[in-house]
Amino acid sequence: MPRPSRSLLPAAAAAGIAVALGVGVRVGLARQAAIARRRIGKPLGQEAPSADRVWRAGLGGAPLDLLLLGDSIAAGLGAAHRKETLGGRLAKGLARELDRPVRLRTGAVVGAESADLAGQIDALPPGYHADVAVIIVGGNDVTHRVPVPVAAGHLADAVRRLRADGTAVVVGTCPDLGALRAVPQPLRSIGSRASQQLATAQADRARAEGAGVVSLRRAVGPFFRIDPDGMFSLDRFHPSALGYRRTAEALLPVVRDAVTHGAGAAASGNRGPARGRRSRPGPTATAG
């Protein structure tokens, strides 16, 4: 019986080592993910404060309709009061900027992935039309390992549907999951790279469909890295009241321009604060 070639033995050994290392890495990352889940838990529950109402009704005139879609950031999980949610802060800020009331409707759902955007749109009341919609989604796609092209495609479909209805759209791209200190290394670095890849794809697809884009990684991400105690809520995963304030400040100029000039004029992802406001250094919101 012929003996195996000596030249094949090192290759076979190398392949075996590679497989063993791959298995070891997967096991290690799975353990780190379990550690992160235990650390984070669900101290905030699954329901964000309801902020749906007409904000600044005393300004008079027909309210502008603002719609929020996406995951727990868009829903406002982590805020203690409705005025502290992302929707509440955006509605108040937009009313102040435009000098007219703003009617907020939140279709976002805690735990949502990009694939859930279609259902959130379907769940809107018959005949409902938003003047402007803000979408923040992606963190759960990363943690659930949804392929980037698939997640970005679902986002593009949602933007296309809203734009076809005449709604201006602003997308806050996937936050930097590398800011989550409750997640151990190297899983945190892997999450950071994956969230950046998704954010880039989201920006490209959203702009192609006529949406304005804000890079949450660049606009508010540094704040979450520099001041995690202040920017994160109790679970160290979702934004606090301060985190939502910073996020709303980053989104507001682009949302305002989407309303006043059309979504295409608000396509910059790294614009400064509204005119007349002091510029702040740019840092990540998290997703859930």
Side-chain angles (χ1 to χ4, degrees):
M1 183 174 179
R3 299 177 62 183
S5 170
R6 291 183 179 180
S7 63
L8 295 178
L9 292 177
I17 292 173
V19 170
L21 286 174
V23 171
V25 168
R26 287 196 296 273
V27 171
L29 292 178
R31 287 176 178 172
Q32 289 190 334
I35 291 172
R37 284 193 293 271
R38 287 197 300 270
R39 288 179 179 175
I40 295 168
K42 293 185 178 180
L44 304 175
Q46 291 290 307
E47 296 293 331
S50 177
D52 289 3
R53 52 171 282 192
V54 176
W55 292 83
R56 301 293 174 90
L59 291 174
L64 178 118
D65 281 288
L66 168 64
L67 173 66
L68 262 68
L69 299 175
D71 58 27
S72 55
I73 293 179
L77 187 66
H81 307 285
R82 63 185 180 185
K83 67 180 181 180
E84 298 173 345
T85 64
L86 181 62
R89 290 191 179 278
L90 281 176
K92 286 192 299 181
L94 199 56
R96 182 178 63 250
E97 293 278 346
L98 301 179
D99 195 29
R100 63 181 290 191
V102 173
R103 181 188 294 114
L104 174 65
R105 177 175 292 276
T106 304
V109 177
V110 174
E113 300 176 14
S114 298
D116 298 313
L117 291 173
Q120 292 178 14
I121 296 174
D122 291 340
L124 295 173
Y128 173 79
H129 170 81
D131 294 293
V132 60
V134 175
I135 303 176
I136 299 180
V137 74
N140 294 308
D141 294 278
V142 173
T143 59
H144 296 158
R145 296 185 293 182
V146 177
V148 167
V150 174
H154 287 304
L155 173 63
D157 291 343
V159 173
R160 190 180 309 119
R161 288 182 62 183
L162 293 166
R163 296 291 292 138
D165 192 40
T167 299
V169 181
V170 174
V171 172
T173 57
C174 183
D176 177 13
L177 300 190
L180 300 174
R181 295 193 179 182
V183 178
Q185 295 285 17
L187 185 60
R188 192 192 316 163
S189 294
I190 293 172
S192 181
R193 288 194 297 270
S195 58
Q196 183 173 15
Q197 290 171 350
L198 178 56
T200 299
Q202 288 177 322
D204 291 342
R205 295 298 302 273
R207 287 193 182 101
E209 297 298 337
V213 173
V214 175
S215 169
L216 295 182
R217 182 189 190 95
R218 295 179 181 177
V220 294
F223 290 126
F224 283 82
R225 288 180 177 270
I226 294 169
D227 182 21
D229 292 336
M231 296 293 289
F232 284 108
S233 61
L234 177 64
D235 65 357
R236 295 180 294 172
F237 189 80
H238 295 90
S240 63
L242 177 59
Y244 281 121
R245 193 187 91 191
R246 297 289 196 191
T247 304
E249 288 173 347
L251 288 163
L252 183 58
V254 184
V255 176
R256 178 202 61 212
D257 288 353
V259 173
T260 57
H261 305 302
S268 171
N270 304 300
R271 300 182 58 154
R275 287 184 290 272
R277 300 178 187 280
R278 286 200 340 208
S279 177
R280 300 176 186 272
T284 299
T286 57

